[in-house]
Amino acid sequence: MITSWSRDAEQSRSSCSSSSSSSSAKLSSISGHVYENHWSAVTASGESDPGEKTRPLRGAVDAGLSDPSALGSVRLEERDDRSVVHRTSDMMASSDVDTRAEGTLFSDQNPSEMDALCPSPPGPTRPQRHYERIGGQTGTSFCQTLIHLLKGNIGTGLLGLPLAVKNAGLVLGPISLLFMGVIAVHCMRLLVTCSHHLSIKVNRPSLTYGEAMQHGMENVSWLRRHSHWGRRVVNVFLIITQLGFCCVYFVFLSDNVKQVVEAANATTFNCYMNYTNQTEVVVPSFDSRLYMLCFLPAIILLVFTPNLRYLAPLSLVANLVMSASLVLIYWYSITNITDPTDLPRVGRAKDYPLFFGTAIFAFEGIGVVLPLENKMHRPQSFPLVLYVGMSIVTFLYISLGTIGYLCFGEHVVGSITLNLPNCWTYQAVKLLYCFGIFITFALQFYVPAEILIPPVLARVSQRWEMAVDLLLRTVLVIFTCALAVLIPELDLVISLVGSVSSSFLALIFPPLLQLVTFYPEGLSPMVTAKNTLISLVGLIGFLTGTYAALEQIITRNSLKNDETLSSYMVH
């Protein structure tokens, strides 16, 4: 059957090109080069003979738009013809038609913001597309992929790292961030390697995070019957993570705008440092939770956007202003570093789990790894992109966390923007960053909405689809707002979301995925012990971080209730 398909494919290529002989020779030469580069990564994970396997290549995408989001999972857009190319020497592999349906919680495909902003063109068949990809006409370049990777990891978590360093200590904090950065990059690499291996085995162009977990579990006989639960569990944690990001955005917006409003009357152009290095509250206003309710209608209208590509120009502007804001934050922190003599080198043991939750929340980009690698023009270069990009990210995390703590000391709060002085320059920084977060809300919301809503729409008549769609989007936004209102503490929300969901996606699942993926081939005892240790660290971080965050939430709410009761009794 493979031989028959190969003859048909060869005749089709001959009829589609006026210069078939030279084009086929060029394609064969470059394909062999790509194939060999791919197997240099896969064989390191235990694959025996690349000549006996096939390597499906991912579809190329339009590289004209940038991805402004901190990404979650991915679903490649609907494509007509999917073929798998490359065998060694004179053989070519069989084709595989892969029609992607709407993403649901229990489906094989998951959407991502990149699909909306950078959709794959529907046009030609796989062999033609592969040729275009090699020829440089489609797919994201090295630099574009690097920018997407940086944006997928740099968000609100970065602004909370000075407080994380405070919780861990001036010396232990940066060392721990470096350690977590190395582990996070290693887990990202494991995810890509396992996805490659499994996509070959199931003859698919690419796999999502959930699909990789499902097909990996199928390699273990006693897990095969329940393999679909692997995909479902990953999807659940992806939804929790994305909705958690949305909750953090509500709290971030309300806290920063509240501070700007309260200090508006006393804001000047003199960016001096006051005694606490914090913006002076001159005219106290209403509670931050009321600010969240004020943002609620605007965010509901924002998520009604029918196509996220309409937000691409605003997203580009948001990326630019957020980058400029980070530069100003760095400048202020570096130029106002205080004497670190009195700062503790090692923090309190009970605060370290809070550090873990905030730090793992900051390393939020594992959901973007497979989408970026799938859509890259030359995916064999993705490991270099990963190492370069995550090295930059880790440097930014360690530097801003340490410098921010050195600048603001014990007064540092959940977001470093809340520590900036009372002048228009840094008030503008807060507002510009809020604008970027506001636009990013729609992009983060896209993933859970496209997973949860389509199954419901499939059960209603076409006449009511639009109304039900808008209603469900409204309910989801109100749900995230309600969670933010219940926990209006930015640092604790970040730590809780990181401990609950990010620890599973970034630390626990990838090592387990490698264990089940290469279970038939067998892994060395050293690799098995290493993966078990990483997953165990993630599990301990999940348990202790969640407990510490919930304990602090209860404690702070009790204190606020006591203060409110005391104020009523005085009046």
Side-chain angles (χ1 to χ4, degrees):
M1 180 177 179
I2 294 177
T3 305
S4 175
W5 182 89
S6 300
R7 289 197 299 268
D8 294 340
E10 190 65 35
Q11 294 174 1
S12 175
R13 281 191 295 275
S14 299
S15 63
C16 292
S17 173
S18 60
S19 56
S20 58
S21 58
S22 60
S23 299
S24 299
K26 180 179 179 181
L27 175 59
S28 176
S29 174
I30 302 176
S31 299
H33 175 68
V34 173
Y35 175 78
E36 292 297 328
N37 284 334
H38 158 70
W39 275 106
S40 66
V42 176
T43 52
S45 301
E47 190 63 29
S48 56
D49 184 7
E52 297 299 320
K53 300 287 184 179
T54 62
R55 171 68 176 110
L57 296 178
R58 274 88 38 210
V61 299
D62 178 8
L65 294 173
S66 64
D67 178 23
S69 66
L71 301 167
S73 60
V74 65
R75 172 180 63 86
L76 299 181
E77 292 293 330
E78 292 187 4
R79 299 173 182 177
D80 295 329
D81 295 292
R82 293 291 179 92
S83 305
V84 183
V85 293
H86 295 319
R87 281 184 79 90
T88 55
S89 64
D90 60 332
M91 294 190 67
M92 297 190 69
S94 61
S95 66
D96 180 30
V97 178
D98 179 23
T99 303
R100 304 292 177 116
E102 288 293 335
T104 69
L105 178 61
F106 306 116
S107 72
D108 289 344
Q109 314 306 332
N110 295 321
S112 80
E113 307 90 300
M114 188 178 295
D115 295 319
L117 291 168
C118 303
S120 301
T125 59
R126 281 304 299 186
Q128 292 172 313
R129 276 209 193 159
H130 179 227
Y131 181 80
E132 290 178 354
R133 183 179 185 182
I134 292 177
Q137 299 179 15
T138 55
T140 55
S141 66
F142 183 96
C143 291
Q144 289 172 325
T145 307
L146 180 61
I147 292 172
H148 292 332
L149 182 64
L150 293 175
K151 186 61 184 71
N153 284 273
I154 298 175
T156 54
L158 173 63
L159 303 178
L161 287 177
L163 180 60
V165 173
K166 173 189 172 183
N167 289 329
L170 185 59
V171 175
L172 183 59
I175 294 175
S176 299
L177 282 175
L178 178 61
F179 179 72
M180 293 186 67
V182 172
I183 294 181
V185 175
H186 178 67
C187 289
M188 292 177 183
R189 191 72 181 93
L190 289 182
L191 181 60
V192 173
T193 301
C194 293
S195 175
H196 285 181
H197 182 83
L198 293 169
S199 64
I200 295 167
K201 184 174 182 179
V202 301
N203 204 26
R204 290 278 297 276
S206 62
L207 297 176
T208 65
Y209 198 161
E211 289 173 334
M213 184 62 72
Q214 177 183 1
H215 292 301
M217 291 176 64
E218 290 174 355
N219 290 330
V220 184
S221 58
W222 53 278
L223 293 176
R224 190 170 297 129
R225 289 181 54 190
H226 310 287
S227 61
H228 58 281
W229 281 104
R231 184 187 71 250
R232 295 177 181 179
V233 170
V234 170
N235 289 351
V236 166
F237 278 102
L238 286 169
I239 293 173
I240 294 174
T241 300
Q242 298 302 121
L243 293 181
F245 290 161
C246 293
C247 293
V248 170
Y249 291 170
F250 263 112
V251 182
F252 181 88
L253 290 171
S254 64
D255 285 353
N256 282 270
V257 173
K258 178 178 185 291
Q259 193 178 79
V260 172
V261 171
E262 290 178 340
N265 291 335
T267 301
T268 67
F269 290 96
N270 181 21
C271 296
Y272 64 92
M273 286 185 63
N274 54 38
Y275 294 105
T276 62
N277 298 334
Q278 289 181 288
T279 301
E280 295 178 352
V281 177
V282 179
V283 182
S285 63
F286 43 84
D287 191 272
S288 62
R289 288 170 284 195
L290 296 179
Y291 279 92
M292 297 179 197
L293 297 180
C294 292
F295 278 111
L296 182 60
I299 291 179
I300 289 176
L301 293 177
L302 180 69
V303 301
F304 283 173
T305 306
N307 192 328
L308 291 185
R309 296 185 67 181
Y310 298 148
L311 297 178
L314 290 177
S315 297
L316 177 59
V317 175
N319 290 340
L320 294 176
V321 299
M322 289 172 70
S323 300
S325 300
L326 281 178
V327 171
L328 291 174
I329 292 172
Y330 262 100
W331 172 256
Y332 180 84
S333 300
I334 292 174
T335 56
N336 292 281
I337 290 178
T338 58
D339 183 9
T341 305
D342 297 332
L343 298 179
R345 279 21 177 196
V346 178
R348 297 181 301 179
K350 70 175 186 177
D351 292 333
Y352 194 83
L354 297 176
F355 161 83
F356 173 86
T358 304
I360 200 62
F361 177 92
F363 287 100
E364 60 193 40
I366 193 166
V368 75
V369 169
L370 290 183
L372 288 179
E373 197 265 351
N374 290 337
K375 298 188 175 187
M376 195 174 179
H377 169 63
R378 294 184 180 275
Q380 68 272 18
S381 301
F382 184 75
L384 180 60
V385 174
L386 182 63
Y387 294 139
V388 172
M390 292 308 298
S391 297
I392 296 173
V393 168
T394 304
F395 171 77
L396 291 176
Y397 286 177
I398 296 175
S399 60
L400 185 61
T402 306
I403 293 171
Y405 182 42
L406 287 173
C407 178
F408 300 111
E410 293 299 318
H411 302 289
V412 70
V413 290
S415 173
I416 194 174
T417 56
L418 300 175
N419 287 105
L420 295 177
N422 187 15
C423 70
W424 282 116
T425 301
Y426 294 104
Q427 299 291 65
V429 166
K430 300 172 189 176
L431 294 177
L432 291 175
Y433 219 97
C434 285
F435 170 75
I437 294 300
F438 177 77
I439 298 299
T440 307
F441 188 100
L443 304 171
Q444 298 287 7
F445 183 81
Y446 174 82
V447 174
E450 290 301 307
I451 293 176
L452 296 173
I453 293 178
V456 179
L457 296 183
R459 291 172 171 79
V460 300
S461 62
Q462 187 174 1
R463 184 180 65 175
W464 294 100
E465 278 188 1
M466 177 65 73
V468 173
D469 183 24
L470 298 180
L471 176 62
L472 292 177
R473 290 175 182 271
T474 303
V475 170
L476 282 177
V477 174
I478 293 175
F479 174 72
T480 58
C481 181
L483 292 178
V485 168
L486 291 175
I487 314 174
E489 305 290 342
L490 182 59
D491 57 325
L492 297 182
V493 174
I494 290 176
S495 183
L496 181 62
V497 173
S499 299
V500 171
S501 57
S502 298
S503 58
F504 276 91
L505 295 177
L507 296 180
I508 299 177
F509 288 156
L512 296 180
L513 177 60
Q514 188 188 32
L515 291 179
V516 296
T517 297
F518 296 99
Y519 179 82
E521 292 85 352
L523 293 171
S524 66
M526 186 69 70
V527 173
T528 302
K530 180 260 299 178
N531 287 4
T532 304
L533 180 61
I534 294 176
S535 294
L536 185 61
V537 168
L539 181 61
I540 294 174
F542 158 71
L543 295 175
T544 58
T546 303
Y547 174 80
L550 291 176
E551 182 187 37
Q552 287 295 313
I553 289 171
I554 295 172
T555 301
R556 291 191 191 180
N557 284 336
S558 299
L559 292 175
K560 286 185 177 181
N561 292 335
D562 293 341
E563 291 176 358
T564 304
L565 181 61
S566 299
S567 64
Y568 283 141
M569 292 178 65
V570 170
H571 292 294

